């Protein structure tokens, strides 16, 4: 699956879609493929203030528990409730229906450290 | 790199795993496939069609001599001497304190016995058997030389029957036969570790790839796919089968693991008999119980289990269970008063308490 060009990426395999002062965050196709069948996603609470690179939840596959980081800081405004009943949505549609949470950016300059689709593609090839 | 790592060994099927795109992990000293496509897909294939497993990492020892049965009966909890020709039997080697050294299967073949031990215990068991060796018992290791291929699932007979000279349809559960598969010599046993019908094929390592590839090629229509250790662990947990190091170890005895059915206290003596008998009689031991989580958070090994405010045990294995209404199931070593089916307990996960219910094992039984 190609990396959508309109998203930004972290080295920890999250993607970020910035629209105004709101960012939508999920994990990449590469990440979901590495994890395997995802069976549980624990997301931050709406209203929580999360710091850049803080642990905000977990993503669990059949075999493993992985921390979910946020590549940028802010206040959580919405979480993807669909994932509670259908965590495999992250496997099927990592860049679309499998989004995880949205937050209001606390500092828009934090996005400057994120990678472009091309740079992220490069990272996953290494 | 400053650390020294022992290179993992490869089974006779390593090249096939790589070619099939398997994800390999070190397990029991070997690079083994944890999954090929998806653990859940492979699990489904085994429950509904058939899956093909490479279990060549498991230790295979040959025992020969007139003294084998009496010798083995002294070292294990189950009866070896009463086994019929071509019978297979689950057994456990125990220490004097009743702790389990390994859980194994004995296969009584013509003029010899095949003993299959866990990969993780193969070296320990080789040392234990040699340290206790007696006249009249000859011990040989085929570990890493012989291969073991398992066919598991409701279509196992259909998958294997056309390619062997053994009447596998007539072969009884926990019996075996010597014959050929695709013309290659094999011990074929109706045993397994998934809760489904199936066969385990003990073959020469040199023949393994040919048999493996032929089975996959000729059974694509039956839905046979390669399945890895990830699926195997979910399958065995649903079927309530212990995994050494989790439900059974040197500290968790066969009595605690709920394996009393395999202990033959009527044997005159065996390693750990007194300790196990005392433990079974006083009945005040922590024991392995089944747990079903009320919610969606999976229970994992090491999580603490509470009855009210009191910690009563720990999770030993846990997984999502596609064959148990997709619930999260687990085994836990629980104090006696928390282990009765129906008991409501609490599992602590990352600082949060989640409700769960104790249930009888197994979680899944094939219809």
């Amino acid at each position: 699956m190609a990396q959508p060009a309109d998203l930004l990426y972290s080295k920890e395999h999250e993607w970020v879609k910035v629209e105004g002062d709101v960012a939508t965050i999920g994990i990449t196709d590469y990440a979901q493929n590495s994890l395997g069948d995802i069976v549980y996603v624990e997301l931050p609470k709406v209203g929580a203030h999360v710091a850049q690179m803080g642990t905000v939840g977990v993503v669990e596959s059949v075999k493993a528990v992985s921390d979910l980081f946020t590549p940028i800081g802010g206040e959580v405004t919405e979480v993807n409730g669909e994932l509670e009943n259908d965590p495999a949505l992250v496997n099927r549609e990592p860049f679309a229906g499998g989004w995880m949470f949205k937050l209001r950016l606390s500092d828009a300059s934090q996005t400057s450290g994120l990678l472009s689709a091309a740079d992220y593609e490069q990272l996953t090839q290494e | 790199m400053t650390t020294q790592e022992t290179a993992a060994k490869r089974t006779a099927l390593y090249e096939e795993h790589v070619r099939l795109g398997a994800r390999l992990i070190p397990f029991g000293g070997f690079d083994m496939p944890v999954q090929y496509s998806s653990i859940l897909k492979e699990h489904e294939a085994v429950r509904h069609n058939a899956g093909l497993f490479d279990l060549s990492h498991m230790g295979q020892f040959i025992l020969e001599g007139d003294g084998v049965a009496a010798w083995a009966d002294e070292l294990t909890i189950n009866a070896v001497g009463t086994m019929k020709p071509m019978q297979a039997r689950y057994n456990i080697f125990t220490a004097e304190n009743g702790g389990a050294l390994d859980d194994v299967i004995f296969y009584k073949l013509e003029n010899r016995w095949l003993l299959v031990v866990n990969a993780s215990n193969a070296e320990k068991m080789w040392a234990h058997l040699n340290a206790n060796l007696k006249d009249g018992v000859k011990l040989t290791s085929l570990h890493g030389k012989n291969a073991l291929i398992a066919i598991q699932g409701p279509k196992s007979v259909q998958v294997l029957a056309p390619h062997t000279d053994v009447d596998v349809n007539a072969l009884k559960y926990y019996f075996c036969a010597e014959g050929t598969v695709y013309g290659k010599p094999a011990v074929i046993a109706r045993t397994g570790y998934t809760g489904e019908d199936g066969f385990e094929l003990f073959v020469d390592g040199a023949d393994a790839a040919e048999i493996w590839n032929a089975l996959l090629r000729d059974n694509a229509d039956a839905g046979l796919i390669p399945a890895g250790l990830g699926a195997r662990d979910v399958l065995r947990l649903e079927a309530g089968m212990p995994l050494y190091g989790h439900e059974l170890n040197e500290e968790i005895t066969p009595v605690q693991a709920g394996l009393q059915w395999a202990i033959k206290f009527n044997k005159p003596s065996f390693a750990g008999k007194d300790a196990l008998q005392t433990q079974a009689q006083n009945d005040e031991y922590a024991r392995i119980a089944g747990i079903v989580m009320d919610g969606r958070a999976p229970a994992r090994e090491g999580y603490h289990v509470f009855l009210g405010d009191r910690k009563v045990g720990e999770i030993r294995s846990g997984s999502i269970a596609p064959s148990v209404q997709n619930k999260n199931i687990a085994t836990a070593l629980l104090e006696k008063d928390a282990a009765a089916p129906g008991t409501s307990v609490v599992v602590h996960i990352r600082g949060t308490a989640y409700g769960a219910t104790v249930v009888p094992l197994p979680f899944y039984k094939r219809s």
Side-chain angles (χ1 to χ4, degrees):
Chain A
M1 197 179 289
Q3 323 294 341
D6 60 333
L7 306 181
L8 296 170
Y9 298 87
S10 75
K11 288 177 180 155
E12 290 74 30
H13 307 287
E14 289 98 16
W15 57 261
V16 181
K17 182 178 192 177
V18 180
E19 292 163 297
D21 66 344
V22 173
T24 305
I25 293 160
I27 67 170
T28 65
D29 183 57
Y30 178 89
Q32 70 77 21
N33 187 50
S34 302
L35 291 167
D37 298 309
I38 291 168
V39 298
Y40 182 69
V41 180
E42 194 173 278
L43 297 169
K45 298 226 179 335
V46 170
H49 289 265
V50 297
Q52 186 176 30
M53 282 317 296
T55 304
V56 296
V58 295
V59 180
E60 301 199 25
S61 64
V62 177
K63 293 298 280 181
V65 182
S66 306
D67 283 332
L68 174 64
F69 298 100
T70 181
I72 43 177
E75 181 187 348
V76 178
T77 56
E78 194 179 344
V79 297
N80 186 352
E82 291 288 309
L83 302 184
E84 192 176 334
N85 289 318
D86 186 12
L89 196 51
V90 179
N91 292 118
R92 298 196 306 273
E93 302 178 15
F95 295 117
W99 69 275
M100 293 191 170
F101 60 97
K102 296 184 183 191
L103 48 76
R104 186 165 294 113
L105 299 180
S106 53
D107 176 1
S109 73
Q110 287 179 351
T111 58
S112 64
L114 298 173
L115 306 173
S116 68
D119 289 347
Y120 180 69
E121 179 74 30
Q122 181 81 27
L123 179 81
T124 60
Q125 301 300 318
E126 282 167 6
Chain B
M1 290 283 283
T2 51
T3 53
Q4 267 199 328
E5 287 175 22
T6 315
K9 289 176 281 189
R10 295 173 173 183
T11 73
L13 294 168
Y14 174 85
E15 299 296 337
E16 313 316 309
H17 303 323
V18 171
R19 198 174 43 75
L20 289 162
R23 195 164 297 169
L24 298 161
I25 56 160
F27 185 85
F30 288 80
D31 271 332
M32 296 302 294
V34 64
Q35 67 171 68
Y36 298 85
S37 51
S38 133
I39 291 175
L40 297 180
K41 257 185 226 165
E42 294 161 24
H43 170 282
E44 190 181 356
V46 173
R47 286 278 182 255
H48 300 289
N49 298 310
L52 198 63
F53 296 86
D54 177 18
L55 307 176
S56 307
H57 61 311
M58 300 195 75
Q60 297 184 38
F61 301 148
I62 296 292
L63 300 163
E64 294 166 286
D66 296 338
V68 169
W71 169 80
D73 266 329
E74 284 293 327
L75 298 175
T76 62
I77 62 169
N78 208 339
V80 180
T82 60
M83 287 172 66
K84 299 181 184 115
M86 307 314 282
Q87 192 173 12
R89 187 168 281 174
Y90 179 78
N91 208 335
I92 296 171
F93 282 84
T94 31
E96 281 305 329
N97 69 1
L101 300 174
D102 197 18
D103 64 337
V104 304
I105 295 181
F106 281 87
Y107 296 85
K108 185 177 181 172
L109 308 176
E110 302 279 358
N111 306 318
R112 68 197 195 285
W113 304 71
L114 170 61
L115 174 65
V116 177
V117 307
N118 280 294
S120 54
N121 289 331
E123 283 180 28
K124 178 177 84 173
M125 286 303 297
W126 180 249
H128 179 68
L129 296 175
N130 276 293
N132 287 280
L133 216 52
K134 286 212 167 112
D135 285 347
V137 181
K138 187 184 161 212
L139 177 63
T140 316
S141 175
L142 297 175
H143 193 205
K145 177 187 177 293
N146 249 27
L148 172 52
I149 297 171
I151 304 164
Q152 298 280 298
K155 292 189 182 168
S156 293
V157 169
Q158 175 191 331
V159 163
L160 181 58
H163 313 296
T164 175
D165 59 353
V166 169
D167 183 359
V168 290
N169 197 35
L171 193 60
K172 284 191 244 167
Y173 187 54
Y174 265 75
F175 275 83
C176 58
E178 294 193 65
T180 60
V181 177
Y182 287 100
K184 308 291 185 189
V187 172
I188 301 170
R190 202 157 197 171
T191 48
Y193 192 54
T194 60
E196 296 301 329
D197 189 15
F199 300 96
E200 295 185 304
L201 314 177
F202 299 88
V203 299
D204 195 302
D207 297 329
E210 188 177 333
I211 294 169
W212 172 272
N213 290 324
L215 283 168
L216 288 175
R217 177 194 66 212
D218 294 341
N219 290 290
D221 290 346
L224 180 74
I225 60 169
L229 297 182
R232 183 170 152 90
D233 192 42
V234 179
L235 291 157
R236 72 90 195 165
L237 182 61
E238 289 178 337
M241 294 170 162
L243 173 61
Y244 191 89
H246 295 257
E247 287 76 28
L248 194 65
N249 62 28
E250 291 186 17
E251 279 80 47
I252 305 175
T253 70
V255 168
Q256 292 176 278
L259 299 168
Q260 285 93 331
W261 62 268
I263 308 176
K264 298 296 179 279
F265 284 122
N266 60 357
K267 290 200 291 187
S269 64
F270 62 87
K273 180 181 177 182
D274 292 345
L276 292 172
Q277 205 151 27
T278 304
Q279 187 174 50
Q281 279 163 0
N282 84 21
D283 199 34
E284 289 301 322
Y285 49 86
R287 59 201 67 196
I288 294 291
I291 280 187
V292 174
M293 300 298 295
D294 297 342
R296 298 231 166 225
R300 305 278 183 181
E301 183 179 2
Y303 291 177
H304 294 182
V305 182
F306 289 76
L307 183 64
D309 292 337
R310 181 166 55 98
K311 188 191 165 200
V312 289
E314 274 186 24
I315 301 293
R316 301 298 307 167
S317 298
S319 177
I320 193 153
S323 303
V324 191
Q325 297 100 47
N326 241 20
K327 290 178 177 168
N328 286 297
I329 62 169
T331 57
L333 185 66
L334 297 179
E335 289 175 20
K336 182 187 177 184
D337 65 334
T343 308
S344 291
V345 293
V346 161
V347 180
H348 280 212
I349 304 177
R350 294 177 290 276
T352 303
Y354 291 85
T357 307
V358 178
V359 299
L361 294 171
F363 302 97
Y364 166 84
K365 213 168 179 176
R366 71 176 186 262
S367 44

